[in-house]
Amino acid sequence: RSSQTIPAVILDLAPPPTGKLSLFNLYVALSRSSGRETIRLLRDFDENALTSPHLPELTAEDDRLARMNEATISWWQTLKDARISLH
């Protein structure tokens, strides 16, 4: 399984030893919680880390997935239309 809900999440938003904190890292950590009532922050953090732009590679991947989604919807609609015209 790629995701798991964890009953309680303790989040440390300090910069990692290598690289930097990204919105993607934050999303992954928060998406594991069962709700904001179960999230605790370990320490104060730099709020600017939450407003930094996404990494270009993540933005490109998101765009690629959006295009794939549109193509899949179009493909299914074509199949649906072809099936209707056969009846």
Side-chain angles (χ1 to χ4, degrees):
R1 246 164 69 178
S2 63
S3 66
Q4 270 184 335
T5 300
I6 300 172
V9 174
I10 298 173
L11 202 54
D12 185 359
L13 294 178
T18 59
K20 65 178 188 172
L21 183 67
S22 74
L23 293 175
F24 180 74
N25 302 122
L26 180 60
Y27 166 77
V28 170
L30 292 175
S31 68
R32 302 297 186 248
S33 74
S34 58
R36 68 183 188 183
E37 299 82 20
T38 64
I39 299 169
R40 298 294 177 262
L41 298 178
L42 188 59
R43 66 179 100 198
D44 290 336
F45 61 94
D46 179 7
E47 292 180 24
N48 292 327
L50 304 179
T51 60
S52 61
H54 293 289
L55 296 173
E57 299 85 358
L58 291 177
T59 302
E61 178 64 4
D62 190 47
D63 292 342
R64 184 187 73 81
L65 292 173
R67 288 191 303 275
M68 284 181 62
N69 184 54
E70 290 170 15
T72 301
I73 291 170
S74 177
W75 181 76
W76 277 108
Q77 187 61 49
T78 301
L79 285 179
K80 181 181 171 186
D81 294 346
R83 188 172 181 200
I84 291 172
S85 67
L86 291 175
H87 291 271

Coordinates of all heavy atoms in Angstrom, one line a residue:
R1 N 0.8 -1.2 0.0 CA 0.0 0.0 0.0 C 0.9 1.2 0.0 O 1.8 1.3 0.7 CB -0.9 0.0 1.2 CG -2.3 -0.2 0.9 CD -3.1 -0.6 2.1 NE -3.2 0.5 3.1 CZ -3.9 0.4 4.2 NH1 -4.5 -0.7 4.5 NH2 -3.9 1.4 5.0
S2 N 0.5 2.2 -0.8 CA 1.3 3.4 -0.9 C 1.0 4.4 0.2 O 1.8 5.3 0.5 CB 1.1 4.1 -2.2 OG -0.2 4.5 -2.4
S3 N -0.2 4.3 0.8 CA -0.5 5.3 1.9 C -1.1 4.6 3.1 O -1.8 3.6 2.9 CB -1.4 6.4 1.4 OG -2.6 5.9 1.0
Q4 N -0.9 5.1 4.2 CA -1.4 4.6 5.5 C -1.9 5.8 6.3 O -1.3 6.8 6.3 CB -0.4 3.9 6.3 CG -0.2 2.5 6.0 CD 0.8 1.9 7.0 OE1 1.7 2.6 7.5 NE2 0.7 0.6 7.2
T5 N -3.1 5.6 7.0 CA -3.5 6.6 7.9 C -2.9 6.2 9.3 O -3.0 5.1 9.7 CB -5.0 6.6 8.0 OG1 -5.5 7.0 6.7 CG2 -5.5 7.7 9.0
I6 N -2.3 7.2 9.9 CA -1.7 7.0 11.2 C -2.5 7.7 12.2 O -2.9 8.9 12.0 CB -0.2 7.6 11.2 CG1 0.6 6.8 10.1 CG2 0.4 7.4 12.5 CD1 1.9 7.4 9.9
P7 N -2.9 7.1 13.4 CA -3.8 7.7 14.3 C -3.3 9.0 14.9 O -4.1 9.9 15.2 CB -3.9 6.6 15.4 CG -3.1 5.5 15.0 CD -2.4 5.8 13.7
A8 N -2.0 9.2 15.1 CA -1.5 10.5 15.6 C -0.2 10.7 14.9 O 0.6 9.8 14.7 CB -1.3 10.4 17.1
V9 N 0.0 12.0 14.5 CA 1.2 12.4 13.8 C 2.0 13.5 14.6 O 1.4 14.5 15.0 CB 0.9 12.9 12.4 CG1 2.1 13.5 11.7 CG2 0.2 11.8 11.6
I10 N 3.3 13.3 14.8 CA 4.1 14.3 15.4 C 5.0 14.8 14.3 O 5.7 14.0 13.7 CB 5.0 13.8 16.6 CG1 4.0 13.3 17.7 CG2 5.9 14.9 17.1 CD1 4.7 12.6 18.8
L11 N 4.9 16.0 13.9 CA 5.6 16.6 12.8 C 6.7 17.5 13.2 O 6.6 18.4 14.0 CB 4.6 17.4 12.0 CG 4.8 17.6 10.5 CD1 5.0 16.3 9.7 CD2 3.6 18.3 9.9
D12 N 7.9 17.2 12.6 CA 9.1 18.1 12.8 C 9.3 18.8 11.5 O 9.8 18.2 10.6 CB 10.3 17.2 13.2 CG 11.5 18.1 13.6 OD1 11.4 19.3 13.5 OD2 12.5 17.5 14.0
L13 N 9.0 20.1 11.5 CA 9.2 20.9 10.2 C 10.6 21.6 10.1 O 10.7 22.5 9.4 CB 8.1 21.9 10.1 CG 6.7 21.3 9.9 CD1 5.6 22.4 9.9 CD2 6.6 20.5 8.7
A14 N 11.5 21.1 10.9 CA 12.9 21.6 10.8 C 13.5 21.2 9.4 O 13.1 20.2 8.8 CB 13.8 21.1 11.9
P15 N 14.4 22.0 8.9 CA 15.0 21.7 7.6 C 15.7 20.3 7.7 O 16.3 20.0 8.8 CB 16.0 22.8 7.4 CG 15.5 23.9 8.2 CD 14.9 23.3 9.4
P16 N 15.6 19.5 6.7 CA 16.3 18.2 6.8 C 17.8 18.4 6.7 O 18.3 19.4 6.3 CB 15.7 17.4 5.6 CG 15.2 18.5 4.7 CD 14.8 19.6 5.5
P17 N 18.6 17.3 7.1 CA 20.0 17.5 7.1 C 20.6 17.8 5.7 O 21.6 18.4 5.6 CB 20.5 16.1 7.6 CG 19.3 15.4 8.2 CD 18.1 16.1 7.6
T18 N 20.0 17.2 4.7 CA 20.4 17.5 3.3 C 19.2 18.0 2.6 O 18.1 17.6 2.8 CB 21.0 16.3 2.6 OG1 20.0 15.3 2.6 CG2 22.2 15.8 3.3
G19 N 19.4 18.9 1.7 CA 18.3 19.5 0.9 C 17.5 20.5 1.7 O 18.0 21.2 2.6
K20 N 16.2 20.6 1.4 CA 15.4 21.5 2.1 C 14.0 21.0 2.2 O 13.6 20.0 1.5 CB 15.3 22.9 1.4 CG 14.7 22.9 0.0 CD 14.7 24.3 -0.6 CE 13.9 24.3 -1.9 NZ 13.6 25.6 -2.4
L21 N 13.2 21.5 3.1 CA 11.8 21.1 3.3 C 11.0 21.6 2.1 O 11.1 22.7 1.7 CB 11.3 21.8 4.6 CG 9.9 21.4 5.0 CD1 9.8 19.9 5.4 CD2 9.5 22.2 6.2
S22 N 10.2 20.7 1.6 CA 9.4 21.1 0.4 C 7.9 20.9 0.8 O 7.6 20.2 1.7 CB 9.7 20.3 -0.8 OG 9.2 19.0 -0.7
L23 N 7.0 21.6 0.0 CA 5.6 21.4 0.2 C 5.2 19.9 0.0 O 4.3 19.4 0.7 CB 4.8 22.3 -0.7 CG 5.0 23.8 -0.5 CD1 4.3 24.6 -1.5 CD2 4.5 24.2 0.9
F24 N 5.9 19.2 -0.9 CA 5.6 17.8 -1.1 C 5.9 17.0 0.2 O 5.1 16.2 0.6 CB 6.5 17.3 -2.3 CG 6.2 15.8 -2.5 CD1 5.1 15.4 -3.2 CD2 7.2 14.9 -2.2 CE1 4.8 14.1 -3.4 CE2 6.9 13.6 -2.4 CZ 5.8 13.2 -3.0
N25 N 7.0 17.3 0.8 CA 7.3 16.6 2.1 C 6.2 16.8 3.1 O 5.8 15.9 3.8 CB 8.7 17.0 2.7 CG 9.8 16.8 1.8 OD1 10.5 17.8 1.5 ND2 10.1 15.6 1.3
L26 N 5.8 18.1 3.2 CA 4.8 18.4 4.2 C 3.5 17.7 3.8 O 2.8 17.2 4.7 CB 4.6 19.9 4.2 CG 3.5 20.5 5.1 CD1 3.9 20.1 6.6 CD2 3.4 22.0 5.0
Y27 N 3.1 17.7 2.6 CA 1.9 17.1 2.1 C 1.9 15.6 2.5 O 0.9 15.0 3.0 CB 1.7 17.2 0.6 CG 0.6 16.3 0.1 CD1 -0.7 16.5 0.3 CD2 1.0 15.1 -0.5 CE1 -1.7 15.6 -0.1 CE2 0.0 14.2 -1.0 CZ -1.3 14.5 -0.8 OH -2.3 13.6 -1.2
V28 N 3.0 14.9 2.2 CA 3.1 13.5 2.5 C 2.9 13.2 4.0 O 2.1 12.4 4.4 CB 4.4 12.9 2.0 CG1 4.6 11.5 2.5 CG2 4.5 12.9 0.5
A29 N 3.6 14.0 4.8 CA 3.4 13.9 6.3 C 2.0 14.1 6.8 O 1.5 13.3 7.5 CB 4.4 14.8 7.0
L30 N 1.4 15.2 6.3 CA 0.1 15.6 6.8 C -1.0 14.6 6.2 O -2.0 14.4 6.9 CB -0.2 17.0 6.4 CG 0.6 18.1 7.1 CD1 0.2 19.4 6.6 CD2 0.3 18.0 8.6
S31 N -0.8 14.1 5.0 CA -1.8 13.2 4.4 C -1.9 11.9 5.2 O -2.9 11.2 5.0 CB -1.5 13.0 2.9 OG -0.3 12.2 2.8
R32 N -1.0 11.6 6.0 CA -1.0 10.3 6.7 C -1.9 10.5 8.0 O -2.3 9.5 8.6 CB 0.4 9.9 7.2 CG 1.4 9.7 6.0 CD 0.9 8.6 5.1 NE 1.9 8.3 4.1 CZ 1.8 8.5 2.8 NH1 0.7 9.1 2.4 NH2 2.7 8.2 2.0
S33 N -2.1 11.7 8.4 CA -2.9 11.9 9.6 C -4.4 11.6 9.4 O -4.9 11.7 8.3 CB -2.7 13.3 10.2 OG -3.4 14.2 9.4
S34 N -5.1 11.4 10.5 CA -6.6 11.2 10.4 C -7.3 12.5 10.6 O -8.5 12.5 10.5 CB -7.0 10.2 11.4 OG -6.7 10.5 12.7
G35 N -6.6 13.6 10.7 CA -7.3 14.9 10.9 C -6.4 15.9 11.7 O -5.5 15.4 12.4
R36 N -6.7 17.1 11.7 CA -5.9 18.1 12.3 C -5.9 18.0 13.8 O -4.9 18.4 14.5 CB -6.2 19.5 11.9 CG -7.5 20.0 12.3 CD -7.7 21.4 11.7 NE -8.9 22.0 12.3 CZ -9.3 23.2 12.0 NH1 -8.7 23.9 11.0 NH2 -10.4 23.7 12.5
E37 N -6.9 17.4 14.4 CA -6.9 17.2 15.8 C -5.8 16.2 16.3 O -5.4 16.2 17.5 CB -8.3 16.6 16.3 CG -9.4 17.6 16.0 CD -9.9 17.4 14.6 OE1 -9.7 16.4 13.9 OE2 -10.6 18.4 14.1
T38 N -5.3 15.4 15.4 CA -4.3 14.4 15.7 C -2.9 14.7 15.3 O -2.0 13.9 15.4 CB -4.7 13.0 15.1 OG1 -4.6 13.2 13.6 CG2 -6.1 12.6 15.4
I39 N -2.7 16.0 14.9 CA -1.4 16.4 14.5 C -0.7 17.3 15.6 O -1.4 18.2 16.1 CB -1.4 17.3 13.2 CG1 -2.0 16.4 12.0 CG2 -0.1 17.8 12.8 CD1 -2.4 17.2 10.8
R40 N 0.5 17.0 15.9 CA 1.2 17.8 16.9 C 2.6 18.3 16.2 O 3.2 17.5 15.6 CB 1.5 17.1 18.2 CG 0.3 16.6 18.9 CD -0.5 17.9 19.5 NE -1.7 17.5 20.1 CZ -2.9 17.5 19.6 NH1 -3.0 17.9 18.4 NH2 -3.9 17.1 20.3
L41 N 2.9 19.5 16.4 CA 4.2 20.0 15.9 C 5.3 19.9 17.0 O 5.0 20.3 18.1 CB 4.1 21.5 15.4 CG 3.1 21.7 14.3 CD1 3.0 23.2 14.0 CD2 3.5 21.0 13.1
L42 N 6.4 19.4 16.6 CA 7.5 19.1 17.5 C 8.1 20.4 18.0 O 8.6 20.6 19.1 CB 8.5 18.2 16.9 CG 9.6 17.7 17.8 CD1 9.0 16.9 19.0 CD2 10.6 16.8 17.0
R43 N 8.2 21.4 17.1 CA 8.9 22.7 17.4 C 8.4 23.8 16.5 O 7.7 23.5 15.5 CB 10.4 22.5 17.3 CG 10.8 22.3 15.8 CD 12.3 22.2 15.6 NE 12.6 20.8 15.5 CZ 13.8 20.3 15.7 NH1 14.8 21.1 16.0 NH2 14.1 19.0 15.6
D44 N 8.7 25.0 16.8 CA 8.4 26.1 15.9 C 9.1 25.9 14.5 O 10.1 25.1 14.5 CB 8.8 27.4 16.5 CG 7.9 27.8 17.6 OD1 6.8 27.4 17.7 OD2 8.4 28.6 18.5
F45 N 8.6 26.5 13.5 CA 9.3 26.3 12.2 C 9.2 27.6 11.4 O 8.5 28.6 11.8 CB 8.6 25.2 11.4 CG 7.1 25.5 11.1 CD1 6.7 26.1 10.0 CD2 6.2 25.1 12.1 CE1 5.4 26.3 9.7 CE2 4.8 25.4 11.9 CZ 4.4 26.0 10.7
D46 N 10.0 27.7 10.3 CA 10.0 28.9 9.5 C 8.8 28.8 8.6 O 8.7 28.0 7.7 CB 11.3 28.8 8.6 CG 11.5 30.0 7.7 OD1 10.6 30.9 7.7 OD2 12.4 30.0 6.9
E47 N 7.9 29.8 8.7 CA 6.7 29.8 7.9 C 7.0 30.0 6.4 O 6.2 29.6 5.6 CB 5.7 30.9 8.4 CG 5.2 30.6 9.8 CD 4.2 31.6 10.3 OE1 3.7 32.4 9.5 OE2 4.1 31.7 11.5
N48 N 8.1 30.6 6.1 CA 8.5 30.8 4.7 C 8.6 29.4 4.0 O 8.5 29.3 2.8 CB 9.8 31.6 4.6 CG 9.6 33.0 5.0 OD1 8.5 33.6 4.8 ND2 10.6 33.6 5.6
A49 N 8.9 28.4 4.7 CA 9.1 27.0 4.1 C 7.7 26.6 3.5 O 7.7 25.8 2.6 CB 9.5 26.0 5.2
L50 N 6.6 27.1 4.0 CA 5.3 26.7 3.5 C 4.9 27.6 2.3 O 3.9 27.2 1.7 CB 4.3 26.8 4.6 CG 4.5 26.1 5.9 CD1 3.4 26.3 6.9 CD2 4.7 24.6 5.6
T51 N 5.6 28.6 2.0 CA 5.2 29.5 0.9 C 6.2 29.4 -0.3 O 6.1 30.1 -1.3 CB 5.1 30.9 1.3 OG1 6.4 31.4 1.8 CG2 4.0 31.1 2.3
S52 N 7.2 28.5 -0.2 CA 8.2 28.4 -1.2 C 7.6 27.7 -2.4 O 6.7 26.9 -2.3 CB 9.4 27.6 -0.7 OG 9.1 26.3 -0.3
P53 N 8.1 28.0 -3.6 CA 7.5 27.3 -4.8 C 7.8 25.9 -4.9 O 8.8 25.4 -4.3 CB 8.1 28.1 -6.0 CG 9.4 28.7 -5.4 CD 9.1 28.9 -4.0
H54 N 7.0 25.1 -5.6 CA 7.2 23.7 -5.8 C 8.5 23.5 -6.6 O 8.9 24.3 -7.4 CB 6.1 23.0 -6.5 CG 4.8 23.0 -5.7 ND1 4.7 22.2 -4.6 CD2 3.7 23.6 -5.8 CE1 3.5 22.3 -4.1 NE2 2.8 23.2 -4.8
L55 N 9.1 22.3 -6.4 CA 10.3 22.0 -7.3 C 9.8 21.9 -8.7 O 8.7 21.3 -8.9 CB 10.9 20.7 -6.8 CG 11.5 20.7 -5.4 CD1 11.9 19.3 -5.0 CD2 12.7 21.6 -5.3
P56 N 10.6 22.3 -9.7 CA 10.1 22.2 -11.1 C 9.8 20.8 -11.5 O 8.9 20.6 -12.3 CB 11.3 22.8 -11.9 CG 12.1 23.6 -10.9 CD 11.8 23.0 -9.5
E57 N 10.6 19.8 -11.0 CA 10.3 18.4 -11.4 C 8.9 18.0 -10.9 O 8.3 17.2 -11.6 CB 11.4 17.5 -10.8 CG 12.8 17.8 -11.2 CD 13.5 18.9 -10.4 OE1 12.9 19.5 -9.5 OE2 14.7 19.1 -10.7
L58 N 8.5 18.4 -9.7 CA 7.2 18.0 -9.2 C 6.1 18.7 -10.0 O 5.1 18.1 -10.3 CB 7.1 18.4 -7.7 CG 7.9 17.6 -6.8 CD1 7.8 18.1 -5.3 CD2 7.6 16.1 -6.9
T59 N 6.3 20.0 -10.4 CA 5.3 20.7 -11.2 C 5.2 20.0 -12.6 O 4.1 19.8 -13.1 CB 5.7 22.2 -11.3 OG1 5.8 22.7 -10.0 CG2 4.7 22.9 -12.1
A60 N 6.3 19.6 -13.1 CA 6.3 19.0 -14.5 C 5.6 17.6 -14.3 O 4.8 17.3 -15.2 CB 7.7 18.8 -15.0
E61 N 5.8 16.9 -13.3 CA 5.1 15.6 -13.1 C 3.6 15.8 -12.9 O 2.8 15.0 -13.5 CB 5.7 14.8 -11.9 CG 5.1 13.5 -11.6 CD 5.2 12.5 -12.7 OE1 5.9 12.7 -13.8 OE2 4.6 11.4 -12.6
D62 N 3.2 16.8 -12.2 CA 1.8 17.1 -12.0 C 1.2 17.4 -13.3 O 0.1 17.0 -13.6 CB 1.7 18.3 -11.0 CG 0.3 18.4 -10.5 OD1 -0.4 17.4 -10.2 OD2 -0.2 19.6 -10.5
D63 N 1.8 18.2 -14.1 CA 1.3 18.6 -15.4 C 1.2 17.3 -16.3 O 0.2 17.2 -17.0 CB 2.2 19.6 -16.1 CG 2.2 21.0 -15.5 OD1 1.3 21.2 -14.7 OD2 3.1 21.7 -15.7
R64 N 2.2 16.4 -16.3 CA 2.1 15.2 -17.1 C 0.9 14.3 -16.6 O 0.2 13.8 -17.5 CB 3.4 14.4 -16.9 CG 3.5 13.2 -17.7 CD 4.8 12.3 -17.4 NE 4.6 11.7 -16.1 CZ 4.0 10.5 -16.0 NH1 3.4 9.9 -17.0 NH2 3.9 9.9 -14.8
L65 N 0.7 14.2 -15.3 CA -0.4 13.4 -14.8 C -1.7 14.1 -15.2 O -2.7 13.3 -15.6 CB -0.3 13.3 -13.3 CG 0.9 12.4 -12.9 CD1 1.0 12.4 -11.3 CD2 0.7 11.0 -13.4
A66 N -1.8 15.4 -15.2 CA -3.1 16.1 -15.7 C -3.3 15.8 -17.1 O -4.5 15.5 -17.5 CB -3.0 17.6 -15.4
R67 N -2.3 15.8 -18.0 CA -2.5 15.5 -19.4 C -2.9 14.1 -19.6 O -3.8 13.8 -20.4 CB -1.2 15.8 -20.2 CG -0.9 17.2 -20.4 CD 0.2 17.5 -21.4 NE 1.5 16.8 -21.0 CZ 2.4 17.2 -20.2 NH1 2.3 18.4 -19.6 NH2 3.5 16.5 -19.9
M68 N -2.3 13.1 -18.8 CA -2.8 11.7 -18.9 C -4.2 11.6 -18.5 O -5.0 10.8 -19.1 CB -1.8 10.9 -18.0 CG -0.5 10.6 -18.6 SD 0.5 9.6 -17.5 CE -0.4 8.1 -17.5
N69 N -4.6 12.3 -17.4 CA -6.0 12.2 -17.0 C -6.9 12.7 -18.1 O -8.0 12.1 -18.3 CB -6.2 13.0 -15.7 CG -7.5 12.9 -15.1 OD1 -8.0 11.8 -14.9 ND2 -8.2 14.1 -14.9
E70 N -6.6 13.8 -18.7 CA -7.5 14.3 -19.8 C -7.6 13.4 -20.9 O -8.6 13.1 -21.5 CB -6.9 15.7 -20.2 CG -7.1 16.8 -19.2 CD -6.4 18.1 -19.6 OE1 -5.9 18.2 -20.7 OE2 -6.2 18.9 -18.7
A71 N -6.4 12.8 -21.3 CA -6.4 11.8 -22.4 C -7.2 10.6 -22.1 O -8.0 10.0 -22.9 CB -5.0 11.4 -22.7
T72 N -7.2 10.1 -20.8 CA -7.9 9.0 -20.4 C -9.4 9.2 -20.4 O -10.2 8.4 -20.9 CB -7.5 8.5 -19.0 OG1 -6.1 8.2 -19.0 CG2 -8.3 7.3 -18.5
I73 N -9.8 10.4 -19.9 CA -11.3 10.8 -20.0 C -11.7 10.8 -21.4 O -12.8 10.3 -21.7 CB -11.5 12.1 -19.2 CG1 -11.2 12.0 -17.7 CG2 -12.8 12.7 -19.5 CD1 -11.2 13.3 -17.0
S74 N -11.0 11.4 -22.3 CA -11.3 11.5 -23.7 C -11.4 10.2 -24.3 O -12.4 9.9 -25.1 CB -10.3 12.4 -24.4 OG -10.6 12.4 -25.8
W75 N -10.5 9.3 -24.0 CA -10.5 7.9 -24.5 C -11.8 7.2 -24.1 O -12.4 6.5 -24.9 CB -9.2 7.2 -24.1 CG -9.1 5.8 -24.6 CD1 -8.8 5.4 -25.9 CD2 -9.3 4.6 -23.8 NE1 -8.8 4.0 -25.9 CE2 -9.1 3.5 -24.7 CE3 -9.7 4.3 -22.5 CZ2 -9.2 2.2 -24.3 CZ3 -9.8 3.0 -22.1 CH2 -9.6 2.0 -23.0
W76 N -12.1 7.3 -22.8 CA -13.3 6.6 -22.3 C -14.6 7.2 -22.9 O -15.5 6.5 -23.3 CB -13.4 6.7 -20.8 CG -12.6 5.6 -20.1 CD1 -11.4 5.8 -19.4 CD2 -12.8 4.2 -20.1 NE1 -10.9 4.6 -19.0 CE2 -11.8 3.6 -19.3 CE3 -13.8 3.4 -20.6 CZ2 -11.7 2.3 -19.1 CZ3 -13.8 2.1 -20.3 CH2 -12.7 1.5 -19.6
Q77 N -14.6 8.5 -23.2 CA -15.8 9.1 -23.8 C -15.9 8.6 -25.2 O -17.0 8.3 -25.7 CB -15.6 10.6 -23.8 CG -16.9 11.3 -24.3 CD -18.1 11.0 -23.4 OE1 -18.1 11.1 -22.2 NE2 -19.2 10.7 -24.0
T78 N -14.8 8.5 -25.9 CA -14.8 7.9 -27.3 C -15.4 6.5 -27.3 O -16.2 6.1 -28.1 CB -13.4 7.9 -27.9 OG1 -12.9 9.3 -27.9 CG2 -13.4 7.4 -29.3
L79 N -14.9 5.7 -26.4 CA -15.4 4.3 -26.3 C -16.9 4.3 -26.0 O -17.7 3.5 -26.6 CB -14.7 3.5 -25.2 CG -13.3 3.1 -25.5 CD1 -12.7 2.3 -24.3 CD2 -13.3 2.2 -26.7
K80 N -17.3 5.2 -25.1 CA -18.7 5.3 -24.7 C -19.6 5.7 -25.9 O -20.6 5.1 -26.2 CB -18.9 6.3 -23.5 CG -20.3 6.4 -23.1 CD -20.4 7.5 -21.9 CE -21.8 7.8 -21.6 NZ -21.8 8.9 -20.6
D81 N -19.1 6.7 -26.6 CA -19.8 7.2 -27.8 C -19.9 6.1 -28.9 O -20.9 5.9 -29.5 CB -19.2 8.4 -28.4 CG -19.3 9.6 -27.5 OD1 -20.1 9.6 -26.5 OD2 -18.5 10.6 -27.7
A82 N -18.8 5.3 -29.1 CA -18.8 4.3 -30.1 C -19.8 3.2 -29.7 O -20.5 2.6 -30.5 CB -17.4 3.7 -30.2
R83 N -19.9 2.9 -28.4 CA -20.8 1.8 -27.9 C -22.2 2.2 -28.1 O -23.1 1.4 -28.5 CB -20.5 1.5 -26.5 CG -21.2 0.4 -25.9 CD -20.8 0.0 -24.5 NE -21.5 -1.1 -24.1 CZ -21.6 -1.5 -22.8 NH1 -21.0 -0.8 -21.9 NH2 -22.3 -2.5 -22.5
I84 N -22.5 3.5 -27.8 CA -23.9 4.0 -28.0 C -24.3 4.0 -29.5 O -25.4 3.6 -29.8 CB -24.0 5.5 -27.4 CG1 -23.9 5.4 -25.9 CG2 -25.3 6.1 -27.9 CD1 -23.8 6.8 -25.2
S85 N -23.3 4.3 -30.4 CA -23.7 4.3 -31.8 C -23.9 2.9 -32.4 O -24.5 2.8 -33.4 CB -22.6 5.1 -32.6 OG -21.4 4.4 -32.6
L86 N -23.4 1.9 -31.7 CA -23.6 0.5 -32.1 C -24.9 0.0 -31.8 O -25.4 -0.9 -32.4 CB -22.5 -0.4 -31.5 CG -21.1 -0.2 -32.0 CD1 -20.1 -1.1 -31.2 CD2 -20.9 -0.5 -33.5
H87 N -25.6 0.6 -30.9 CA -26.9 0.1 -30.4 C -28.0 0.7 -31.2 O -28.2 1.6 -31.8 CB -27.1 0.4 -28.9 CG -26.2 -0.4 -28.1 ND1 -26.5 -1.6 -27.6 CD2 -25.0 -0.2 -27.6 CE1 -25.6 -2.1 -26.9 NE2 -24.6 -1.2 -26.9

